[in-house]
């Protein structure tokens, strides 16, 4: 539904160049909820603005629902109308809702319908239908100032759906909301995704959002996508940064004496618990499980486990060798990454 190839965006201001996007290629399948995560300044908002050509990419292409938007945008005024029509198939919601305070709720939802050229009666009917869809039929005559944050975002969603889009883009749409309101807005997005077959691309810095609603996710850093994939596969991907962000395994040791912390990735060919207990038995050691994130995908157990192995270097090497012989991927995490999180940088 959305494909970008080698998308770059370079901002030039006062002789300085900022490479905001540096060769971004993503694929979003029809009907999926796709999350883009990354620290502040990673290029997430630039990417989303390039997807509907609010921002002109410096190079690369954006294809939405089979239409090459970059080609439509390329040819001056003559191409203005096709691009505008293509944009109509893409709805967008924002962190700060961007509602017009002088208009009623219904008036806000009617705005894009006016631009589309619908008549008065048709506009009113459609706006009321959309407000019903987002659970706000009784607020049609209210003004934005009379609404809670969650209600404002529902109006934003109704407005974004006015052009019957196939794609909804969301830039931190729940970041200004409390956790409970966030849950209900995400629930609404999930319902719309399921009931209307709407493809959703959302930007967030909250891992809980990704876990709650996303089918796939991409991690951005310095204008690049450094990892992407189906959320259900990430757990079984050795060394996955996204898995580490999404399913943190907790801290380090509380034991006396020499110990080694190891992260084990289970791909599904060997179940977790028997291997750990066999290791404990055959090597006569007490293994502490510091954290685990497990799931069953296609009938196989996948996931990650952080364990603490007691003993000196020789004993540790033997234990690691045993685990690797069982077909597991074992990594010794860098102590600096044990507590590092994407959200730890004051993104809130
Ligand atoms: N209009 C602009 N002019 C110049 N630089 C910009 C502009 N918009 C964003 N940037 C820069 O591009 C980089 C990526 O920004 P942005 O896409 O907003 O990141 P994110 O949404 O991940 O926080 C940052 O370094 C930011 O300062
Ligand atoms: Mg941003």
């Amino acid at each position: 539904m959305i494909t970008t190839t080698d998308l770059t965006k370079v901002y030039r201001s006062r002789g300085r160049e900022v490479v905001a996007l540096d060769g971004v290629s993503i694929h979003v399948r029809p009907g999926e909820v796709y999350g883009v995560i990354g620290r502040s300044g990673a290029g997430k908002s630039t990417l989303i603005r390039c997807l509907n050509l609010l921002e002109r990419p410096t190079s690369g292409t954006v294809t939405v629902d089979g239409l090459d938007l970059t080609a439509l945008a390329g040819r001056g005024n003559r191409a203005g109308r096709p691009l505008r029509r293509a944009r109509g198939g893409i709805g967008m919601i924002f962190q700060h809702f961007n509602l017009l305070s002088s208009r009623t709720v219904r008036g806000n939802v009617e705005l894009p319908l006016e631009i589309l050229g619908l008549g008065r009666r048709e506009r009113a009917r459609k706006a009321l239908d959309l407000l019903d869809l987002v659970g706000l039929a009784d607020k049609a005559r209210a003004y934005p100032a009379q609404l809670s944050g969650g209600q404002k975002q529902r109006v934003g969603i109704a407005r974004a759906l006015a052009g019957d889009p196939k794609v909804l883009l969301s830039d931190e749409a729940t970041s200004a909301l409390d956790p409970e309101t966030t849950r209900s807005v995400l629930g609404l997005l999930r319902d719309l995704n399921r009931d209307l077959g709407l493809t959703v691309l959302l930007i967030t810095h909250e891992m809980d959002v990704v876990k709650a609603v996303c089918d796939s996710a991409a991690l951005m850093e310095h204008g690049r996508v450094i990892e992407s994939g189906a959320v259900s596969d990430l757990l079984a991907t050795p060394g996955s940064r996204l898995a580490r962000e999404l399913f943190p395994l907790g801290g380090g040791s509380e034991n006396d004496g020499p110990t080694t912390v190891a992260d084990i990735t289970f791909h599904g060919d060997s179940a977790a618990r028997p291997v750990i207990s066999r290791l404990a038995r055959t090597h006569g050691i007490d293994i502490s499980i510091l954290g685990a994130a497990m799931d069953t995908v296609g009938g196989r157990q996948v996931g990650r486990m952080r364990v603490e192995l007691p003993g000196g270097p020789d004993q540790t090497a033997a234990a690691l060798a045993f685990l690797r012989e069982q077909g597991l991927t074992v990594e010794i995490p860098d102590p600096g990454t044990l507590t590092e999180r994407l959200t730890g940088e004051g993104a809130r």
Side-chain angles (χ1 to χ4, degrees), residues 44-46 171-172 203:
K44 306 180 300 295
S45 293
T46 303
D171 192 350
E172 304 271 9
I203 288 175

Side-chain angles (χ1 to χ4, degrees), residues 11 13 18-20 38-47 49 55 171:
Y11 291 110
S13 58
V18 178
V19 181
R39 292 196 166 131
S40 175
K44 306 180 300 295
S45 293
T46 303
L47 172 63
R49 288 199 306 267
E55 196 88 70
D171 192 350

Side-chain angles (χ1 to χ4, degrees), residues 51-320:
L51 291 182
N52 58 9
L53 270 292
L54 276 177
E55 196 88 70
R56 239 339 228 296
T58 305
S59 66
T61 60
V62 175
T63 307
V64 177
D65 196 20
L67 264 182
D68 183 346
L69 300 190
T70 26
L72 291 182
R75 325 211 185 297
N77 284 337
R78 244 176 339 116
R81 195 193 292 274
L83 178 60
R84 229 175 299 140
R85 187 147 3 105
R87 270 198 194 129
I90 306 173
M92 178 131 175
I93 54 176
F94 307 88
Q95 180 175 2
H96 299 295
F97 323 124
N98 298 10
L99 301 178
L100 292 177
S101 58
S102 61
R103 283 189 168 223
T104 63
V105 163
R106 196 185 96 191
N108 269 281
V109 179
E110 282 194 29
L111 187 63
L113 299 169
E114 286 170 30
I115 295 167
L116 287 170
L118 266 66
R120 184 183 295 269
R121 203 169 307 157
E122 212 180 338
R123 285 201 312 258
R125 191 185 51 76
K126 175 116 199 191
L128 290 173
D129 281 351
L130 288 167
L131 287 171
D132 197 31
L133 188 64
V134 300
L136 280 184
D138 58 331
K139 296 287 180 195
R141 292 162 176 277
Y143 284 86
Q146 300 168 294
L147 303 181
S148 69
Q151 290 170 332
K152 284 181 197 167
Q153 194 55 286
R154 283 167 186 270
V155 178
I157 292 169
R159 182 186 54 189
L161 297 177
D164 298 320
K166 289 188 172 175
V167 169
L168 184 67
L169 306 176
S170 161
D171 192 350
E172 304 271 9
T174 58
S175 297
L177 305 175
D178 61 73
E180 200 180 321
T181 311
T182 293
R183 257 193 302 282
S184 98
V185 168
L186 291 176
L188 173 61
L189 290 181
R190 219 358 160 181
D191 290 348
L192 295 170
N193 161 259
R194 204 185 40 223
D195 300 343
L196 308 178
L198 195 66
T199 303
V200 180
L201 181 139
L202 63 85
I203 288 175
T204 185
H205 62 266
E206 295 168 290
M207 299 308 130
D208 287 345
V209 170
V210 176
K211 274 199 269 191
V213 297
C214 292
D215 302 302
S216 300
L219 175 63
M220 285 191 73
E221 207 169 83
H222 306 303
R224 281 189 283 262
V225 170
I226 60 169
E227 203 186 326
S228 64
V231 172
S232 60
D233 290 341
L234 293 171
L235 256 179
T237 307
S240 165
R241 277 271 312 270
L242 269 168
R244 212 161 71 204
E245 299 288 355
L246 287 169
F247 309 99
L249 293 184
S253 142
E254 285 173 15
N255 276 4
D256 295 334
T259 59
T260 302
V261 173
D263 286 349
I264 304 169
T265 305
F266 296 89
H267 315 260
D269 291 332
S270 41
R273 257 171 275 278
V275 175
I276 299 297
S277 58
R278 217 175 314 137
L279 171 65
R281 234 173 16 242
T282 57
H283 288 67
I285 52 177
D286 287 327
I287 299 164
S288 318
I289 295 175
L290 302 175
M294 294 286 175
D295 205 347
T296 306
V297 176
R300 299 167 132 196
Q301 194 176 29
V302 299
R304 299 191 306 134
M305 188 182 277
R306 174 164 292 170
V307 298
E308 186 180 59
L309 306 166
D314 290 350
Q315 211 171 359
T316 302
L320 295 179

